[in-house]
Amino acid sequence: MKKIEDVALIGLGAVGCAYLTTMAERLPMEKIRVIAAGERAERCRQNGMNYNGRRCRFNVAEPGTGEPPADLVFVSVKNTQLAGAIDDIRDFVGPRTVIIAPLNGVTSERLLMSRYGAERVLYSYAMKIDATRVGDSTFCGNTGFIPFGEARNEPGRYSENVAAVEDFFLRTGIEYEIPEDMITSLWKKFMMNTGLNQTSAILGFTYGMMQRSPSARALMRSAMEEAAAAAGAEGISLGTREIDDCFRIMDMLGAEGKTSMLQDIEARRLTEVEAFAGTVVDIADRHGLAVPVNRTYLRQIRAMEESF
């Protein structure tokens, strides 16, 4: 059986810091590399990262310096940084490397597969992670879990790559799920992000404010209904039951927490709106769908970004 012994991670944002620190609690430090280049690499070497008030340092590996491939490449950048990350991980991808990228949206795996082959890339996303990035510090109360797998996963008959990542997550303490229908699961998370992340970012609402406001919930539902229609046009069935599940998940989140998109807006960073509303609008344009809420969200968040 394939066994993952070492990992190379790119992207030390809130999600990357949370999962890298979890891995480091059980994995020898020499088995962990952080992929970074230029000024970012030097800053990482000098400062490390601050996670829940504790300074952590990891081995930094720069692209183009003869680094050997990793058993697992963990991509945790934002969608706005994915194109550069796809180039930067090239030296770390070998014949037996597994690539996992728990990013938001539904396009990252397709882009990674087109570069490195579908046989190396698993679908994944992060769920219920409560991580906040402030400056160079990350604070996380709950690392949540990572649903992952091939497009279809039959219990007891997982692919070699799925079985290897499952074993690695068990050994390193990362909570996970392996959905039988991974594609539908991925689109359901995308639908939730399309509603929750974008609505909260535009309104400036924490989770608690989203939970309490009927008007915010109505906006969120409208955005998700449009995402569900876009999914249906792509052959993915999502409906009222899945939308209601998204609200149940949101209502369990800590009231003071904020979505990653709201954090980006407040920090005056580019957001992932192209991966959310941008994807819905692209699909709608191809299939003749009306998506006025997401079309407005796309224009409004783009305008907000133009002020940064």
Side-chain angles (χ1 to χ4, degrees):
M1 178 182 125
K2 178 187 287 189
K3 188 165 184 175
I4 294 171
E5 300 286 0
D6 71 294
V7 59
L9 179 143
I10 185 167
L12 279 181
V15 172
C17 286
Y19 287 121
L20 187 63
T21 306
T22 301
M23 294 177 199
E25 291 176 355
R26 302 189 186 184
L27 201 64
M29 292 298 290
E30 62 269 19
K31 298 295 186 180
I32 298 173
R33 287 174 286 172
V34 174
I35 304 171
E39 181 184 346
R40 188 184 298 269
E42 189 58 32
R43 188 167 63 247
C44 189
R45 288 191 186 98
Q46 290 184 359
N47 303 330
M49 67 182 196
N50 191 315
Y51 182 76
N52 284 346
R54 179 165 58 95
R55 184 67 60 180
C56 308
R57 284 184 169 80
F58 297 95
N59 298 316
V60 179
E62 294 198 53
T65 57
E67 289 281 339
D71 295 332
L72 176 68
V73 170
F74 194 104
V75 180
S76 55
V77 298
K78 291 288 187 74
N79 276 283
T80 53
Q81 304 161 324
L82 181 58
I86 289 175
D87 287 336
D88 287 344
I89 67 172
R90 62 188 181 278
D91 296 341
F92 303 86
V93 179
R96 292 180 59 79
T97 300
V98 182
I99 303 172
I100 190 167
L103 277 61
N104 290 322
V106 291
T107 59
S108 58
E109 284 85 7
R110 174 174 52 81
L111 295 171
L112 284 160
M113 287 175 180
S114 67
R115 179 70 174 270
Y116 295 108
E119 71 279 5
R120 293 188 180 88
V121 181
L122 295 178
Y123 295 93
S124 66
Y125 60 90
M127 195 69 182
K128 292 186 180 179
I129 183 169
D130 180 18
T132 302
R133 181 83 168 176
V134 180
D136 68 346
S137 298
T138 295
F139 302 91
C140 183
N142 184 356
T143 56
F145 61 96
I146 298 179
F148 78 95
E150 308 284 359
R152 300 288 305 185
N153 303 283
E154 183 179 345
R157 300 184 64 182
Y158 294 149
S159 71
E160 183 181 36
N161 284 347
V162 170
V165 172
E166 179 180 33
D167 173 72
F168 178 76
F169 282 174
L170 285 170
R171 286 187 285 118
T172 54
I174 293 178
E175 298 292 328
Y176 68 91
E177 285 185 359
I178 304 176
E180 290 190 45
D181 185 346
M182 185 66 210
I183 302 301
T184 298
S185 182
L186 188 71
W187 276 82
K188 181 179 175 181
K189 172 66 187 304
F190 166 73
M191 179 178 70
M192 181 174 176
N193 283 340
T194 298
L196 174 57
N197 283 33
Q198 297 185 132
T199 305
S200 70
I202 288 171
L203 298 177
F205 277 14
T206 63
Y207 292 134
M209 296 163 75
M210 290 293 300
Q211 292 158 1
R212 294 188 300 270
S213 169
S215 296
R217 295 174 77 94
L219 279 170
M220 177 176 165
R221 181 176 291 274
S222 295
M224 288 196 293
E225 287 172 345
E226 292 178 2
E234 297 289 290
I236 311 298
S237 180
L238 297 172
T240 301
R241 183 178 65 181
E242 289 78 16
I243 290 173
D244 290 343
D245 283 344
C246 291
F247 279 107
R248 280 192 287 272
I249 292 168
M250 180 186 74
D251 288 339
M252 291 187 291
L253 298 173
E256 298 306 314
K258 299 177 180 180
T259 64
S260 59
M261 183 173 280
L262 177 55
Q263 292 179 48
D264 286 339
I265 291 290
E266 290 180 341
R268 302 180 67 80
R269 295 188 295 254
L270 290 179
T271 73
E272 295 182 299
V273 68
E274 302 296 338
F276 297 157
T279 298
V280 173
V281 169
D282 285 346
I283 294 172
D285 288 345
R286 283 192 276 113
H287 294 279
L289 302 175
V291 289
V293 174
N294 277 280
R295 200 175 294 278
T296 299
Y297 279 4
L298 181 61
R299 290 169 176 160
Q300 188 166 354
I301 296 172
R302 280 176 175 170
M304 294 166 75
E305 290 177 342
E306 287 168 2
S307 74
F308 297 164

